[in-house]
Amino acid sequence: QSVLTQPPSVSGAPGQRVTISCTGSSSNIGAGYAVQWYQQLPGTAPKLLIYGIANRPSGVPDRFSGSKSGTSASLAITGLQAADEADYYCQSYDSSLSVWVFGGGTKLTVL
Amino acid sequence: QVQLQESGPGLVRPSQTLSLTCTVSSVSISSGDYYWSWIRQPPGKGLEWLAYIYYSRKTYYNPSLKSRLRISLNASKNQFSLRLSSVTAADTAVYYCATMVENEGDYFQHWGQGSLVTVSS
């Protein structure tokens, strides 16, 4: 059971907007620790997508954006493309467990 | 661009010790820019952070696995390594080495391609 809770799956049609939620608690997201997002294409290593809640590394399209409110964070993807079909993971630090934690992952299907 | 490459046996017997090495390219492991980390992913499951080592040889382990983990660094070879003792089938996973950055949040910036380790007799 992951400390950060994500929906197992989301889907959307090409061109649409989808959001993926990441629900934490007062010992991680709610404590002010930053949230990161990673994209894992099938059979590959995770790739950093968003860091520090809403910052994009160089090369990541601005179709990807992050936000945070209270004990939850969200990843939004606009203008969905077939190439976006992947697993997405949120990540933060948990002060109760004293460890960096990941969400259980969300599989994005582009219809 | 920082590149990471894991290497090690793909099969480990139960109760034995799993050993993996990560070879770093394009940056000195002694630069102080990153915390050198290991993360694993059991087949079909999520990600679990295991440990990190800094160039100063400061280490930090996942408390749930601390008693079985050892991370080390070889600056002359620009490599860092992980050892996990007393393995069971539950330790079967893809093991990734990664760089962790402490800036605007602790995030894993660069990843190796991963090394699948199967624990089986």
Side-chain angles (χ1 to χ4, degrees):
Chain A
Q1 199 76 349
S2 301
V3 171
L4 303 178
T5 301
Q6 299 180 233
S9 64
V10 298
S11 63
Q16 285 190 333
R17 177 182 187 270
V18 296
T19 61
I20 299 173
S21 61
C22 175
T23 302
S25 67
S26 58
S27 62
N28 41 69
I29 298 174
Y33 294 104
V35 179
Q36 280 66 236
W37 291 91
Y38 301 84
Q39 176 192 61
Q40 187 174 33
L41 297 170
T44 69
K47 169 191 170 184
L48 179 66
L49 210 56
I50 299 286
Y51 67 95
I53 302 175
N55 300 295
R56 285 185 306 276
S58 173
V60 174
D62 59 6
R63 300 188 298 107
F64 297 89
S65 63
S67 62
K68 171 191 161 180
S69 178
T71 58
S72 294
S74 292
L75 172 71
I77 309 172
T78 59
L80 263 185
Q81 300 177 2
D84 297 333
E85 197 160 275
D87 293 325
Y88 291 84
Y89 293 90
C90 60
Q91 174 253 314
S92 186
Y93 179 79
D94 190 280
S95 58
S96 291
L97 299 174
S98 298
V99 71
W100 289 271
V101 291
F102 292 86
T106 298
K107 183 175 181 60
L108 168 63
T109 300
V110 180
L111 303 171
Chain B
Q1 175 73 328
V2 177
Q3 292 184 310
L4 307 166
Q5 177 68 59
E6 305 88 350
S7 60
L11 179 65
V12 181
R13 305 300 181 192
S15 80
Q16 299 300 304
T17 296
L18 177 162
S19 296
L20 292 167
T21 295
C22 182
T23 300
V24 180
S25 303
S26 302
V27 67
S28 170
I29 205 166
S30 300
S31 67
D33 292 337
Y34 303 106
Y35 290 76
W36 306 100
S37 298
W38 287 95
I39 295 163
R40 71 179 181 180
Q41 184 174 35
K45 296 188 178 181
L47 300 159
E48 179 181 34
W49 175 81
L50 299 177
Y52 77 57
I53 187 166
Y54 195 46
Y55 79 102
S56 61
R57 288 175 171 71
K58 168 187 174 183
T59 60
Y60 189 68
Y61 297 98
N62 187 320
S64 67
L65 293 164
K66 184 177 181 179
S67 64
R68 298 198 292 132
L69 282 171
R70 283 298 177 269
I71 191 170
S72 59
L73 184 154
N74 186 329
S76 65
K77 294 185 176 181
N78 223 38
Q79 296 175 332
F80 63 106
S81 299
L82 182 78
R83 289 170 60 87
L84 176 64
S85 62
S86 304
V87 298
T88 69
D91 295 310
T92 293
V94 176
Y95 287 75
Y96 296 101
C97 55
T99 60
M100 187 176 81
V101 177
E102 278 193 336
N103 180 25
E104 294 194 65
D106 301 334
Y107 56 91
F108 302 98
Q109 185 175 15
H110 309 99
W111 298 66
Q113 66 183 30
S115 178
L116 174 61
V117 179
T118 301
V119 179
S120 175
S121 55

